[in-house]
Amino acid sequence: ERMGALVSSEQEETDRRPAAFQTLYTAGHRVELAATKLGPGLPGFQAYHTSVAVDDIEYAFSGEGIVVNRNLQSHRHLPDAPQMQVIYMGLTSLSGEELLKYLKIFFKRGTYDLLRKNCNSFSDCALFFLLDSRLDQNLRGLEQLGHMADKRAGVVQGITGGDYRPNPQADGFSVERTVSEINKLKSAKFGMK
């Protein structure tokens, strides 16, 4: 698989200079995306757990909010962890500490929702914050299908044995709206124009 195949090239229109380009003449922070399959999937859809690493420190989103680990710890307990994909994404002028400081505004403890605001939502926003890149939609396919199906027929309730309960703290969350807010924040805080 080619490098970067797990990242979408769709970009929001902006006139600011991406953080990735600011490392041209100075040292940058290494960014990697980790993705591990969850379960067998359905034809055309596969669920993934994703996280982002900056200089070998992992940032992932869970019910605890943004968690910080070494050694991609959030993937280690998963049955398919030995097949985890780690993809080098690039260099950025923004640090992991800055990622945590600014994204915790959007990804607070207790706001996780399996279908509407999860690890993939966070990874998508983190990649945009760090590199102006987006998470490939193929890594989000099953949750998107699940959310639509659950609204219509309770399919997710059936698969989870009735364990899935929408988190009201995630009501109103939108990845696209969050990316737009991150874009504004980066322009204002970092002068990336």
Side-chain angles (χ1 to χ4, degrees), residues 27-40:
H29 300 280
R30 179 183 175 86
V31 179
E32 295 174 311
L33 173 70
T36 302
K37 286 183 180 182
L38 297 173

Side-chain angles (χ1 to χ4, degrees), residues 51-54 57-61 66-68 96-97 99-100 122:
S51 63
V52 172
V54 180
I57 303 295
E58 177 190 33
Y59 298 86
F61 182 61
I66 300 174
V67 293
V68 180
E97 292 82 11
L99 171 73
L100 181 61
F122 171 77

Side-chain angles (χ1 to χ4, degrees), residues 9-170:
S9 61
E10 293 178 24
Q11 301 263 336
E12 182 171 302
E13 269 307 305
T14 181
D15 64 346
R16 78 177 160 68
R17 193 169 87 189
F21 292 130
Q22 297 196 20
T23 62
L24 194 56
Y25 299 108
T26 60
H29 300 280
R30 179 183 175 86
V31 179
E32 295 174 311
L33 173 70
T36 302
K37 286 183 180 182
L38 297 173
L42 299 170
F45 294 95
Q46 176 65 55
Y48 287 88
H49 168 62
T50 63
S51 63
V52 172
V54 180
D55 295 333
D56 298 320
I57 303 295
E58 177 190 33
Y59 298 86
F61 182 61
S62 72
E64 299 301 311
I66 300 174
V67 293
V68 180
N69 300 304
R70 290 198 172 276
N71 303 317
L72 301 171
Q73 197 62 41
S74 73
H75 296 258
R76 300 291 175 207
H77 71 283
L78 301 172
D80 286 334
Q83 288 81 41
M84 171 179 38
Q85 297 178 41
V86 179
I87 297 104
Y88 170 75
M89 302 302 301
L91 295 174
T92 183
S93 62
L94 301 170
S95 69
E97 292 82 11
E98 289 167 317
L99 171 73
L100 181 61
K101 177 180 178 180
Y102 291 105
L103 262 60
K104 72 181 180 182
I105 297 165
F106 306 105
F107 293 91
K108 296 177 181 174
R109 179 186 183 120
T111 64
Y112 180 92
D113 184 278
L114 178 66
L115 299 177
R116 300 178 298 153
K117 186 178 183 185
N118 57 31
C119 61
N120 299 321
S121 308
F122 171 77
S123 294
D124 194 6
C125 292
L127 288 172
F128 184 78
F129 179 82
L130 295 166
L131 298 168
D132 292 282
S133 294
R134 299 294 304 273
L135 187 68
D136 189 295
Q137 288 299 311
N138 290 331
L139 295 174
R140 303 190 55 163
L142 189 58
E143 71 208 272
Q144 292 171 352
L145 174 69
H147 182 57
M148 289 174 50
D150 200 48
K151 280 182 163 181
R152 307 250 189 281
V155 171
V156 174
Q157 292 298 331
I159 292 170
T160 64
D163 288 342
Y164 172 69
R165 298 279 183 265
N167 182 350
Q169 301 254 353

